[in-house]
Each structure stands twice: as C-alpha cells, then as structure tokens.
Amino acid sequence: MSFDAAAARALAGRSSDLLGILFRAKQAIVDAAGRGEFTALAPLPAPVPVPAGAPVDAPDFLTTLLREAGEPIGLECLREFERAGYAVRPRWGTTGAGRTLDALLLDWSIDGSLPMRGGAPVLRIVAAADAHAMSAQARAPRLWVERAMLVVRRAAEASQLSCHLQDPEPPASRAWVHRRELLEAAGFRLELTASDAGSVARLSW
C-alpha cells in the first residue's frame, strides 16, 4: 500500500502547518489594514537557502526556489496569496552560508482586482482587493486631517486662532469620531454644525 498511516500523519501535519501559516498571514493582513498600511509579512516555516547566483529578479523566482528547495507548504502559500490578488515579494535573511528567504512580503497597495464573491473560488485568506479597501478606509481620517492642517496653517499665519471647513459628512457620521480623536490628540478642538451640504467644522487652537 503506497499510502499508509505514516503518510497520512505526514499529510495531516503539512495541512495543519499550511493552515497555521495562512491564519497568521490573514491576521497580519487585517492588523496592517486596520492601521492603514498596505503590506504584511507571512513568515515561512523555516528559512529557505538561496543558491548563489540564483536569478532573484526573475518573475517566477519564488515559485522555482520553493519548488526546487522541496518546500510544498511555502509553495502552496505562495499560490494562495497570488490567487487572492497580492503582489508577493521576498523578505531576505542571511546565515553564515549566504542569503535565505525568510518570509513572503504581501503587498495590496494597488487595487487591481475585484473582491472575490459569488461564484469565485473560495479563498483561505483575505482577498487583496478587500484588504486594499480596509487600508484605504483606515487611512481616510488621517488624510482628512492632513488636508485640514493646510487650512489651519493658513489661518494661523493670518494670526487667527480658529478656522472653518465645509465637509459632506453629516455631524452624526462615524467618520468624525476618528477625525476628532486625531485632532484632539494634536491639541485641537472640534465643533460641528449641520449644514445643507453636510457639516461645518470649526477647528480652534
């Protein structure tokens, strides 16, 4: 019998290792996206030695390296990440023997695909398009505050201690919760007044 109990145990172990890596990668993606970042690391089970002179810039380098190194778990993870729409790059390490591949760097900064829904294949990881949307949403309050600071600077240069900004978000919008946290952390006071166009925000210092 070619498939015995030992083979079954080995297969179960590899499956468990694969699911563990994907679970940790998914958590790293969600955590990074929640901070408004666009990259996360997916560590490999063990560093993979990189042969001297290997064409590390070749498009299929990672696939070739993991296959030739006999790393089926790392190869399956790479395929899963690419299937989910991530740009995957190497994170290098070094040992006394030379360069190693320590982890896969997942990048979702470019939203080049639609979220996988409906009849699309079921993924074991967050789709890159969904991670991109999460990151963009998390970054939105900081970007708003950065733009508001341009108005604040002009008002301060004119010897004013407050300024007003028109915004389409109504005062009850949750967007103001995060904006207020960032503004108050920087020492500003925020007052909101409803308007036909959304809100008028008064920032004072």
Side-chain angles (χ1 to χ4, degrees):
M1 181 181 293
S2 59
F3 187 74
D4 56 14
R9 285 193 297 271
L11 179 59
R14 287 197 299 272
S15 178
S16 176
D17 289 344
L18 171 64
L19 292 176
I21 292 172
L22 292 177
F23 174 81
R24 290 188 292 275
K26 180 178 179 180
Q27 189 62 54
I29 291 167
V30 172
D31 290 346
R35 296 189 298 269
E37 300 171 2
F38 289 94
T39 60
L41 284 174
L44 295 171
V48 179
V50 179
V56 297
D57 294 328
D60 61 347
F61 166 72
L62 287 174
T63 298
T64 301
L65 174 66
L66 292 169
R67 183 176 60 246
E68 293 182 351
E71 295 288 344
I73 296 175
L75 187 58
E76 180 63 23
C77 286
L78 173 63
R79 289 170 177 162
E80 186 75 12
F81 297 144
E82 291 178 338
R83 194 164 69 105
Y86 292 92
V88 185
R89 301 194 298 273
R91 203 281 292 273
W92 305 119
T94 56
T95 65
R99 180 186 289 187
T100 60
L101 173 67
D102 285 356
L104 301 176
L105 178 66
L106 311 180
D107 186 323
W108 59 94
S109 59
I110 298 176
D111 184 9
S113 61
L114 295 174
M116 298 203 177
R117 310 228 189 273
V122 176
L123 298 174
R124 291 176 289 185
I125 193 113
V126 182
D130 291 335
H132 181 90
M134 291 165 59
S135 295
Q137 183 178 11
R139 288 173 60 87
R142 291 205 295 272
L143 294 175
W144 184 91
V145 169
E146 288 174 6
R147 290 192 297 269
M149 288 304 103
L150 298 176
V151 180
V152 169
R153 179 180 292 275
R154 287 196 297 269
E157 288 174 347
S159 302
Q160 299 175 18
L161 295 176
S162 67
C163 65
H164 293 81
L165 298 91
Q166 182 71 49
D167 194 90
E169 294 286 350
S173 170
R174 286 193 57 81
W176 288 114
V177 175
H178 302 297
R179 294 172 182 177
R180 184 184 296 276
E181 290 173 352
L182 293 170
L183 290 167
E184 291 182 349
F188 293 96
R189 294 186 299 279
L190 171 66
E191 299 173 28
L192 296 173
T193 305
S195 71
D196 293 340
S199 300
V200 175
R202 180 178 184 270
L203 275 62
S204 57
W205 50 95

